[in-house]
Amino acid sequence: MTISGIITLKQGRDHSVKRFHPWVFSGAIQTATDSLVDGDWVEVKDSKMRTLGFGHFQKGTISVRMILFGDAPPSGLIFQKKIKKALAVRLESNLISEYTNAFRLVHGEGDGLPGLIIDLYHDVAIVQAHSVGMLKNRTLVAEAIKEVLAEANLPVTAVYYKSLTEKTESEYLLGMAAVPHVVLEHGNKFYVDWEEGQKTGFFLDQRENRNMLGEMAKGKSVLNTFCYTGGFSVYALQNEAELVHSVDASEKAIALTRKNLILNGYDPNVHECVASDTFDFLKDKKEVYDLIILDPPAFAKHKDARHQAVKGYQRLNAEAMKMIRPGGIIFTFSCSQVVDRQLFYDTIVSAGIQAGRQIKILHHLAQPADHPVSLYHPEGEYLKGLVLYVE
Ligand code: SAH
């Protein structure tokens, strides 16, 4: 890799990098090479000019995203090495099998590749870049994916770049594949459309939570709100739920849920899929359901929106707590990174108080092993959930 410049840190501001925190904030920088442009590889040094590591430079609060720690510069094979390591973690956690062929191969900071997301849908890899550096390196990344997966006997036929902004176009970096694609998750089938779908086409982060829900669904009357692809609905039905209703504000999501029910052998006319706002839907449904899933989109993407988000989570949970049948179970989630586990917990407590019901916590849920979090970068934890028993 060509290293375009050097960044030196202020005295006393190098602790976090020494502790493998992957972000260098602009306030920690003493000097930077003038000619640096967004996406350049840089060498990061402490105030005594000792090399701490290498990463991608970008103007902004986070000025460098560290990719390598130590004094050895990144070779041309850096992405191969890192993706190979990431794959080893997935293989180690036993999540790839004849029943599951969709998983997150690279989860940004958690895999030592800040700014990079790679999701694998059987034989198609979807790449997302959350930094200019990763955007610029996307072709190298695609080649590395192809090579590493071929070597591991999990060959890909295509690598698709899914853009986050209008400025760059989504495109196939290697090969081509038709959408939608059918993937397997714990033996359940799902259509995935990375070209049109939200995120990379599927919410892989709920896989293990869906599985747990399935185990509790037998004989129950289930409401899956914010259902998107109907993931939780299919698992509930596969485990003999008596009835499942799926709700999403998006017509497209509801069409997809219907298709996924049919794909798995269930009738969407019996197990209704409703395009509606969740709050409206909940209004007149007192004591109809004994299992409710609340998996809303991130109510807050930034700190400024946190207060409003907390109010949203509180209202949503209080409504569900009020109308669930006695002895009912709620799976409640927040994927807002700025609402941490404690704040989410406190919000659920206040929703319980507002609903005025006796409630027990059965489980604390999180993102699965293919969305790992670096111990030194707690900001990487975003998915939090609670399983509640409402007396
Ligand atoms: N539970 C899903 C992921 C949910 S993503 C899964 O397991 O895959 C969040 C979904 O909430 C999106 O599909 C979005 O269309 C929907 N949504 C957003 N606001 C909503 C609202 N007010 N009422 C109902 N659905 C909403």
Side-chain angles (χ1 to χ4, degrees), residues 31-228:
T31 59
T33 307
D34 280 343
S35 56
L36 283 178
V37 296
D38 285 358
D40 278 349
W41 276 86
V42 285
E43 179 172 356
V44 177
K45 292 177 180 268
D46 70 8
S47 58
K48 300 207 171 76
M49 294 308 277
R50 286 176 296 213
T51 302
L52 300 176
F54 300 82
H56 280 145
F57 171 79
Q58 190 167 332
K59 285 183 203 83
T61 322
I62 303 172
S63 300
V64 185
R65 289 168 174 82
M66 300 297 293
I67 296 172
L68 259 191
F69 294 97
D71 55 11
S75 76
L77 293 176
I78 177 74
F79 292 115
Q80 272 90 335
K81 284 188 186 158
K82 290 262 179 172
I83 293 170
K84 210 169 166 175
K85 255 192 181 173
L87 179 64
V89 174
R90 276 64 182 171
L91 293 170
E92 190 68 32
S93 17
N94 258 339
L95 54 83
I96 313 162
S97 71
E98 58 182 306
Y99 306 107
T100 300
N101 61 18
F103 62 95
R104 178 155 288 190
L105 174 59
V106 166
H107 184 61
E109 283 81 356
D111 285 299
L113 286 166
L116 183 65
I117 296 294
I118 306 171
D119 284 344
L120 202 70
Y121 295 121
H122 184 34
D123 58 340
V124 180
I126 315 300
V127 173
Q128 269 192 331
H130 292 255
S131 70
V132 177
M134 288 301 178
L135 175 69
K136 284 189 170 168
N137 287 156
R138 65 190 185 282
T139 311
L140 281 177
V141 168
E143 282 160 8
I145 294 171
K146 192 168 166 128
E147 214 178 295
V148 171
L149 290 174
E151 215 174 88
N153 225 359
L154 296 163
V156 288
T157 52
V159 179
Y160 183 73
Y161 175 73
K162 172 101 184 203
S163 175
L164 289 165
T165 65
E166 318 251 286
K167 280 187 236 147
T168 39
E169 285 208 15
S170 297
E171 59 176 342
Y172 285 93
L173 299 169
L174 289 174
M176 279 275 262
V179 284
H181 219 54
V182 175
V183 298
L184 275 178
E185 205 192 72
H186 288 300
N188 297 303
K189 294 181 209 149
F190 293 101
Y191 287 111
V192 177
D193 180 346
W194 48 83
E195 292 180 12
E196 293 294 324
Q198 300 178 38
K199 286 224 209 163
T200 64
F202 196 69
F203 286 72
L204 293 163
D205 54 3
Q206 289 287 23
R207 180 182 49 248
E208 304 314 321
N209 301 329
R210 289 184 194 120
N211 208 31
M212 178 185 280
L213 173 106
E215 285 167 6
M216 297 171 107
K218 193 169 176 168
K220 303 252 170 83
S221 156
V222 179
L223 173 62
N224 181 13
T225 66
F226 307 93
C227 67
Y228 183 33

Side-chain angles (χ1 to χ4, degrees), residues 198 202-206 210 224-232 247-250 253 276-279 293-299:
Q198 300 178 38
F202 196 69
F203 286 72
L204 293 163
D205 54 3
Q206 289 287 23
R210 289 184 194 120
N224 181 13
T225 66
F226 307 93
C227 67
Y228 183 33
T229 56
F232 283 101
V247 175
D248 197 289
S250 147
S276 162
D277 173 79
T278 296
F279 290 97
I293 300 114
L294 305 172
D295 184 24
F299 283 163

